[in-house]
């Protein structure tokens, strides 16, 4: 199977972490997202231990919670010793409700509102990752009014093409995020930031993109960032305390894609950081990273109940399911690849090539095309694998379809971690 936590049991059903997906679908209803708790923890701990081993004891991974923000995941991040990357007051609120220690958080985003800044300061956010100078000015002013001196990292763009899909490239010079090194604006921004009295400029940050399978772009990023620090040490006497290298490690969604070994990637990147730091003669900063997708993606699958099947002779076949772009908009948005299987008849002969369509009133509402399945019957359970990252967090109520329930398979049994949305939930803000 695609990942080691997936298997097929004697009933010919797909299992995740040993749990029968068809039984889960019957018990909890569909669409249903099923998480594997042990795999989430081991993905988190892989980063915690590899970073400490290769970057030093004070290195910390921050879970990029935009991948999947909910109280349950903030609690697991806290248990495993991770920090968190948050990008809105809503994520901050969720983390706070989960009891997360917000001093271990980085507040991101390219447009923090005044209200976000106040809220983050009131709640003791660990670091602001500052995207632009107007934001820097506002953080400094609001901090002065509130009598605080927040820690700031400057978000820089190192000008790297990480060879991934365009919508998730974030470190190029012309991207909407950060301040470019290449244009000397990063140097100007740092010079300016260091004149501010109510912030502590503790470091720099970059995130080059997402779903990246090569280690080279990360090594290039490390080189460029340390090179910048060396330059700034000479020009501005800037001593960097924190170097945040962002996230972006790729995850296997379909056969043929590699399974990244997190520890070997980190060990390779650490070599570059250490070499460059030694070469430049600057002091070794604390290293942060921000994995999102590689923490949660392969810990989850989505179960749907098959509805109608439509054959258009000479054209294509459709299989419709009871969810769609409302719980997984990634195929519609990016043409993302997924592995789809008929969870209720795993070993049956696959002879039906089809497009798996959602139930939304829109022809672009597809989950995947050219899928080979046993010919599905109404009531069969269909599984889409590797749906932990950017699925629930990007879900919507389009067509007033309630968001799915999320359950976790744990050592002590199955538990609901997000209740299925109800129709009452959907109208609760309508007046
Ligand atoms: N740090 C920052 C500042 C980020 O912007 C992101 C992702 C991450 C870390 C985590 O990156 P990851 O490890 O998950 O690759 N919705 C898109 C992905 C958007 C990524 C946004 N930023 C998708 O569904 O593919």
């Amino acid at each position: 199977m695609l990942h080691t936590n997936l298997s097929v049991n004697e009933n010919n059903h797909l299992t995740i972490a040993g749990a029968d997906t068809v039984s889960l679908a019957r018990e909890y209803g569909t669409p249903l997202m099923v998480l594997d708790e042990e795999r989430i923890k081991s993905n988190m701990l892989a980063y915690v231990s590899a970073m400490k081993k290769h970057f030093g004891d004070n290195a910390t991974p921050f879970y990029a919670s935009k991948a999947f923000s909910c109280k349950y995941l903030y609690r697991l991040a806290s248990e495993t010793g991770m920090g968190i990357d948050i990008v809105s007051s809503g994520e901050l609120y969720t983390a706070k409700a989960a009891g997360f220690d917000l001093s271990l958080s980085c507040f991101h985003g390219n447009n923090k509102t005044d209200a976000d800044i106040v809220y983050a300061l009131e709640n003791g956010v660990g670091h602001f990752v500052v995207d632009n100078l107007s934001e820097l000015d506002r953080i400094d002013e609001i901090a002065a009014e509130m009598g605080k001196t927040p820690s700031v990292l400057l978000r820089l763009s190192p000008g790297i093409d990480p060879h991934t899909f365009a919508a998730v490239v974030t470190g190029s010079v012309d991207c909407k995020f950060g301040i470019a090194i290449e244009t000397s604006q990063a140097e100007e921004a740092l010079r300016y930031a260091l004149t501010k009295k109510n912030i502590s400029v503790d470091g720099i940050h970059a995130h080059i993109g997402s779903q990246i399978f090569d280690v080279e772009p990360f090594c290039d990023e490390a080189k460029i960032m340390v090179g910048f620090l060396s330059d700034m040490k000479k020009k501005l006497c800037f001593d960097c305390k924190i170097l945040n290298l962002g996230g972006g490690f790729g995850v296997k969604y379909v056969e043929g894609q590699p399974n990244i070994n997190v520890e070997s990637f980190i060990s390779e990147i650490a070599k570059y950081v250490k070499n460059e730091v030694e070469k430049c003669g600057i002091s070794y900063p604390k290293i942060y990273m921000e994995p999102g997708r590689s923490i949660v993606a392969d810990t989850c699958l989505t179960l749907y109940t098959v509805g109608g099947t439509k054959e258009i002779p000479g054209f294509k076949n459709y299989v419709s399911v009871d969810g769609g772009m409302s719980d997984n908009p990634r195929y519609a948005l990016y043409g993302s690849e997924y592995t789809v299987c008929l969870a209720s008849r795993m070993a049956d002969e696959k002879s039906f090539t089809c497009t798996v369509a959602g139930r939304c009133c829109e022809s672009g509402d597809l989950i995947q095309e050219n899928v080979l399945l046993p010919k599905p019957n109404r009531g069969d359970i269909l599984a889409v694998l590797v749906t932990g990252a950017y699925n629930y967090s990007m879900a919507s109520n389009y067509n007033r379809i309630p968001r799915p329930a999320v359950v976790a398979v744990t050592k002590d049994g199955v538990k609901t971690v997000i209740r299925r949305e109800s129709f009452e939930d959907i109208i609760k803000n309508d007046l």
Side-chain angles (χ1 to χ4, degrees), residues 335-347:
S336 302
E337 294 179 286
Y338 281 101
T339 301
V340 179
C341 44
L342 203 59
S344 46
R345 292 195 281 123
M346 288 298 284

Side-chain angles (χ1 to χ4, degrees), residues 64 66 85 108 155 207 210 248 290 292-293 330 334 390 394:
K66 66 208 78 179
D85 149 352
H108 277 276
R155 176 158 186 172
H207 167 73
S210 197
E290 294 170 336
R293 190 190 305 275
R330 297 190 68 254
Y334 319 116
Y390 306 108
M394 293 174 75

Side-chain angles (χ1 to χ4, degrees), residues 130-181:
V130 170
D131 180 85
N132 55 70
L133 294 183
S134 96
E135 187 175 293
L136 185 86
D137 284 336
R138 277 314 277 151
I139 293 173
D140 183 63
E141 286 160 15
I142 296 172
E145 285 158 23
M146 293 174 69
K148 310 223 174 205
T149 317
S151 167
V152 158
L153 313 182
L154 288 188
R155 176 158 186 172
L156 307 184
S157 71
I160 285 177
D161 176 4
H163 307 295
T164 183
F165 53 107
V168 296
V169 170
T170 46
S172 58
V173 177
D174 61 351
C175 142
K176 81 164 181 172
F177 295 106
I179 307 168
I181 295 179

Side-chain angles (χ1 to χ4, degrees), residues 176-378:
K176 81 164 181 172
F177 295 106
I179 307 168
I181 295 179
E182 197 174 311
T183 57
S184 300
Q185 284 165 299
E187 177 179 336
E188 286 318 307
L190 181 60
R191 188 187 302 277
Y192 180 67
L194 291 169
T195 66
K196 296 282 167 186
K197 297 279 177 293
N198 307 295
I199 56 173
S200 168
V201 185
D202 289 336
I204 57 172
H205 166 280
H207 167 73
I208 58 174
S210 197
Q211 185 64 349
I212 301 167
F213 285 108
D214 298 328
V215 76
E216 284 76 20
F218 297 104
C219 299
D220 292 346
E221 174 196 7
K223 254 172 140 171
I224 292 170
M225 296 294 272
V226 177
F228 176 77
L229 289 179
S230 159
D231 208 21
M232 295 306 105
K233 171 77 181 165
K234 288 183 212 128
K235 290 183 173 153
L236 307 175
C237 296
F238 176 60
D239 272 315
C240 178
K241 295 197 194 86
I242 296 165
L243 171 58
N244 184 333
L245 295 170
F249 288 8
V251 172
K252 181 175 181 178
Y253 284 83
V254 290
E255 289 301 347
Q257 286 176 330
N259 244 325
I260 283 184
N261 179 317
V262 166
E263 170 159 13
S264 64
F265 261 49
I266 288 179
S267 117
E268 190 68 16
I269 299 165
K271 267 192 245 156
Y272 273 82
V273 173
K274 279 186 191 144
N275 277 346
E276 291 300 312
V277 165
E278 274 163 30
K279 213 162 79 191
C280 298
I282 55 172
S283 44
Y284 193 73
K286 207 196 270 191
I287 307 293
Y288 290 172
M289 289 179 85
E290 294 170 336
R293 190 190 305 275
S294 52
I295 298 293
V296 281
D298 64 10
T299 69
C300 186
L301 52 77
T302 305
L303 300 174
Y304 301 100
T305 301
V306 171
T309 299
K310 183 177 290 179
E311 295 175 53
I312 312 173
F315 292 88
K316 58 182 2 184
N317 302 320
Y318 283 98
V319 172
S320 293
V321 295
D322 58 351
M325 67 193 298
S326 45
D327 59 83
N328 182 359
R330 297 190 68 254
Y331 187 75
L333 273 175
Y334 319 116
S336 302
E337 294 179 286
Y338 281 101
T339 301
V340 179
C341 44
L342 203 59
S344 46
R345 292 195 281 123
M346 288 298 284
D348 287 14
E349 194 202 341
K350 297 187 179 77
S351 54
F352 192 68
T353 301
C354 58
T355 292
V356 177
R359 61 175 299 183
C360 295
C361 208
E362 173 148 340
S363 3
D365 172 26
L366 307 177
I367 295 280
Q368 201 66 199
E369 292 180 278
N370 293 315
V371 179
L372 187 61
L373 296 175
K375 190 170 178 193
N377 300 317
R378 192 175 181 90

